[in-house]
């Protein structure tokens, strides 16, 4: 294990919760509602259940290999060459994920907050922050997450409370108008954004002070983050309506604009932007960290810090190439990213879990 830092179980839970809600509360509602309309919340509830199962599976793998990252125990389970080949695929997955996150951040800020700023300027500035965070180490940005999570929770409760007068229950009906298939589709989308992404946390699992409790910590984080996501989607449906959500890129920003209590508490959408920026920073840091650390493990490098600048340049370039505009990105998200994430976050870990369980049973015999 290259990383020498150690984080507590509580810090790991905070990192996981912020990882779940960071971009999913921003891009998730239109994606889920597009699939199941006003019944999208049902798909998310089922997705949370599957997410907890994922957490259980990841926790068992982390417990079996307490001092190894995902990249390292690939080789332990599959052998040197097959393990390295799979690890290389995971590295590509992390690289694409980090590029996509950078693109989301750039699009959101340039379309909603700094409308006259070139997206390249936002991406370069944000990437410099990520490079600095990764070079400072895991312990540093884990402590940063501890400092910012209260503000995220305060905004969540403020948003929920202040929007209660705007709720229209009729927006939830009719229920299951088109049958169960749209709900199943929304469930699959919720696995792609964000629950299957949690496999990346196995890259930092060995640094947790109590690695045997990873499964429990991930389960708590999945339920907590899933509850926040479910609440945001329900608020969006109840306040804006399913038809309006489909036409909006960032419903949570519009929800924040609707808050007006006594003509005093209003125009807090910038706060929504700031909260998203903070949580997205934590998620992007974990993703970028996993990208450079996985590359270092694959090629048996002793240090990963020197990789941050060249990979930062690659990610900025890839973010522009992979998504020339927001329309293209939304289409990529639903048609390409979701199955891609499910393969790497659900199918392959289940395959590794099954192979390792069979090998363990054979050793016991």
């Amino acid at each position: 294990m290259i990383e020498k830092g150690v984080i507590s179980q509580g810090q790991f839970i905070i990192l996981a919760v912020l990882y779940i809600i960071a971009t999913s509360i921003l891009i998730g509602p239109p994606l889920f509602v597009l699939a199941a309309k006003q019944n999208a919340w049902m798909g998310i509830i089922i997705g949370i259940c599957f997410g907890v199962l994922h957490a259980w599976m990841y926790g068992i793998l982390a417990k079996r290999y307490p001092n190894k990252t995902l990249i390292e125990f690939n080789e332990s389970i599959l052998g040197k060459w097959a393990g390295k080949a799979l690890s290389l695929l995971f590295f590509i997955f992390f690289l694409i994920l980090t590029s996509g996150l950078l693109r989301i951040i750039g699009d959101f800020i340039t379309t909603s907050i700094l409308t006259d700023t070139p997206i390249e300027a936002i991406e370069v500035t944000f990437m410099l922050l990520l490079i600095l965070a990764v070079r400072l180490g895991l312990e540093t940005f884990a402590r940063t997450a501890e400092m910012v999570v209260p503000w995220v929770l305060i905004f969540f409760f403020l948003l929920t409370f202040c929007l209660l007068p705007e709720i229209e229950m009729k927006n939830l009906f009719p229920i299951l108008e088109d049958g169960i298939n749209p709900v199943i589709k929304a469930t699959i989308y919720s696995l792609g954004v964000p629950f299957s992404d949690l496999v990346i946390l196995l890259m930092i699992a060995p640094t947790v002070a109590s690695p045997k409790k990873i499964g429990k910590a991930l389960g708590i984080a999945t339920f907590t983050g899933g509850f926040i996501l479910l609440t945001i989607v329900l608020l969006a449906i109840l306040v804006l309506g399913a038809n309006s959500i489909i036409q909006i890129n960032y419903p949570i920003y519009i929800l924040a604009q609707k808050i007006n209590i006594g003509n005093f508490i209003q125009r807090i959408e910038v706060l929504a932007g700031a909260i998203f920026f903070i949580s997205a920073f934590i998620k992007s840091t974990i993703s970028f960290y996993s990208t450079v650390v996985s590359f270092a493990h694959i090629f048996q490098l002793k240090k990963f810090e020197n990789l941050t600048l060249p990979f930062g340049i690659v990610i900025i370039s890839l973010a522009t190439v992979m998504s020339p505009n927001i329309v293209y990105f939304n289409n990529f998200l639903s048609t390409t990213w979701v199955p891609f994430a499910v393969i790497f976050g659900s199918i392959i870990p289940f395959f590794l879990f099954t192979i390792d369980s069979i090998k363990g049973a054979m050793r016991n015999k």
Side-chain angles (χ1 to χ4, degrees):
M1 188 174 67
I2 298 176
E3 175 64 50
K4 303 301 180 184
V6 178
I7 63 175
S8 68
Q9 186 180 359
Q11 289 174 327
F12 181 76
I13 292 174
I14 289 171
L15 288 173
V17 170
L18 291 177
Y19 190 90
I20 290 170
I21 68 174
T23 51
S24 60
I25 62 173
L26 190 71
I27 63 174
L31 183 66
F32 307 142
V33 172
L34 182 64
K37 298 181 181 178
Q38 66 273 10
N39 300 304
W41 59 275
M42 297 182 187
I44 298 172
I45 291 177
I46 301 172
I48 292 171
C49 296
F50 278 108
V52 172
L53 288 176
H54 281 62
W56 171 79
M57 178 173 63
Y58 298 156
I60 292 179
L61 287 171
K63 187 176 180 179
R64 290 176 181 175
Y65 300 94
N67 298 315
K68 294 184 178 181
T69 65
L70 170 65
I71 299 302
E72 291 173 300
F73 67 64
N74 279 343
E75 295 186 31
S76 299
I77 296 173
L78 299 179
K80 182 178 180 180
W81 296 111
K84 278 193 178 295
L86 181 59
S87 295
L88 189 59
L89 292 176
F90 268 110
F91 160 72
I92 295 172
F93 173 66
F94 299 155
L95 183 67
I96 294 174
L97 173 60
T98 309
S99 302
L101 291 173
L102 186 64
R103 184 66 186 186
I104 292 170
I105 292 161
D107 277 326
F108 173 70
I109 292 178
T110 54
T111 57
S112 302
I113 301 176
L114 304 176
T115 54
D116 294 329
T117 305
I119 190 171
E120 293 80 8
I122 301 298
E123 290 175 347
V124 170
T125 303
F126 196 80
M127 180 51 66
L128 290 174
L129 287 175
L130 296 183
I131 291 172
L132 177 62
V134 171
R135 288 191 172 186
L136 288 174
L138 187 60
E139 286 187 11
T140 302
F141 68 78
R143 288 194 293 268
T144 303
E146 274 189 305
M147 290 166 44
V148 301
V149 73
W151 297 104
V152 175
L153 295 178
I154 288 171
F155 170 75
F156 168 69
F157 287 116
L158 179 66
L159 182 72
T160 304
F161 176 77
C162 293
L163 285 175
L164 290 179
E166 304 291 333
I167 285 176
E168 296 185 23
M169 294 302 298
K170 66 179 182 179
N171 289 338
L172 280 182
F173 300 96
I175 294 177
L176 296 178
E177 179 184 20
D178 299 316
I180 195 67
N181 288 337
V183 175
I184 295 174
K185 189 176 181 181
T187 301
I188 295 172
Y189 281 175
S190 72
L191 289 178
V193 181
F195 297 116
S196 290
D197 288 0
L198 290 177
V199 69
I200 203 171
L201 295 176
L202 289 174
M203 291 299 299
I204 64 175
T207 65
V208 180
S210 304
K212 293 183 179 180
K213 298 180 180 179
I214 291 295
K216 180 181 178 180
L218 269 177
I220 294 171
T222 301
F223 182 81
T224 304
F227 175 76
I228 293 174
L229 174 61
L230 173 63
T231 304
I232 295 297
V233 171
L234 272 173
L235 281 174
I237 294 172
L238 289 167
V239 175
L240 301 176
N243 293 331
S244 297
I245 294 171
I246 296 173
Q247 302 171 23
I248 301 171
N249 287 325
Y250 310 116
I252 190 173
Y253 196 72
I254 304 301
L255 285 174
Q257 286 180 336
K258 284 187 168 291
I259 292 176
N260 185 358
I261 298 181
N263 291 324
F264 179 70
I265 300 177
Q266 56 183 331
R267 303 298 298 176
I268 67 168
E269 63 269 19
V270 175
L271 178 60
I275 295 301
F276 162 73
F277 187 86
I278 290 169
S279 56
F281 168 71
I282 299 298
K283 180 170 184 174
S284 301
T285 302
I286 295 172
S287 180
F288 185 48
Y289 169 88
S290 300
T291 301
V292 295
V293 169
S294 62
F295 186 88
H297 277 310
I298 292 169
F299 293 98
Q300 298 180 343
L301 304 178
K302 294 182 179 180
K303 297 180 66 176
F304 64 86
E305 290 83 358
N306 294 334
L307 298 172
T308 55
L309 182 58
F311 273 115
I313 296 172
V314 170
I315 288 168
I316 291 172
S317 303
L318 187 57
T320 303
V321 171
M322 70 180 292
S323 176
N325 54 63
I326 189 62
V327 175
Y328 183 92
F329 182 81
N330 288 337
N331 182 63
F332 168 81
L333 189 67
S334 59
T335 60
T336 304
W337 177 254
V338 168
F340 193 58
V342 169
I343 289 171
F344 280 92
S346 304
I347 297 174
I348 293 178
F350 180 74
F351 169 74
L352 292 171
F353 175 78
T354 303
I355 294 296
D356 190 60
S357 298
I358 293 172
K359 288 173 68 176
M362 292 176 64
R363 284 194 299 267
N364 292 335
K365 288 183 179 180

